[in-house]
Amino acid sequence: VTFDLTTNAAAGGDVYVAGQSGGLNSVKTGYMIHAASANLAIQPEGFGLQGASVSQTSGGPFTINAPYNGIADNVGTESTTYAPVFSSVAPISGGVATLNLLAKSASSDPASQDYKEVLVFVASASF
């Protein structure tokens, strides 16, 4: 997922995320793979977000906030409460951020083709 941000707001701006369910939910099976801040390489299952890159033409800097700033298989959780994934503390021009969505299922999870999550992203200037 890629985001663009340009703002002349004195305190910069943020890109927030919130989810509808707090994980990947299957209506068909009634099972959820819960969102987590974790290293998916060592967890039996999980779902999360990982900031992949940020850049700006000028201003900023545009940064990836913890816990979304993990590397390899480390992800940050999402929940039904908005959390800032990317931020700039000063005016920014040409801000570009990329976000990965990573999921891992356990071999015991019920198989289904309807696992889903609805994510809402909001970009907001900070005056």
Side-chain angles (χ1 to χ4, degrees):
V1 182
T2 302
F3 305 92
D4 297 327
L5 181 66
T6 296
T7 180
N8 64 354
D14 301 285
V15 177
Y16 296 89
V17 64
Q20 183 179 47
S21 303
L24 296 174
N25 189 37
S26 168
V27 173
K28 204 181 261 188
T29 66
Y31 190 80
M32 179 181 292
I33 299 171
H34 292 279
S37 288
N39 180 344
L40 295 180
I42 60 174
Q43 295 296 314
E45 68 176 27
F47 168 70
L49 297 81
Q50 181 187 75
S53 66
V54 287
S55 65
Q56 68 276 329
T57 305
S58 64
F62 205 20
T63 59
I64 305 170
N65 296 323
Y68 308 103
N69 59 347
I71 57 171
D73 295 317
N74 291 292
V75 296
T77 191
E78 57 88 9
S79 72
T80 56
T81 303
Y82 283 95
V85 179
F86 302 104
S87 295
S88 176
V89 295
I92 185 171
S93 180
V96 177
T98 304
L99 180 71
N100 294 327
L101 305 173
L102 298 156
K104 179 181 178 184
S105 63
S107 60
S108 59
D109 292 351
S112 184
Q113 295 180 356
D114 76 330
Y115 282 98
K116 69 177 182 178
E117 171 63 305
V118 175
L119 297 173
V120 177
F121 296 95
V122 175
S124 175
S126 300
F127 290 92

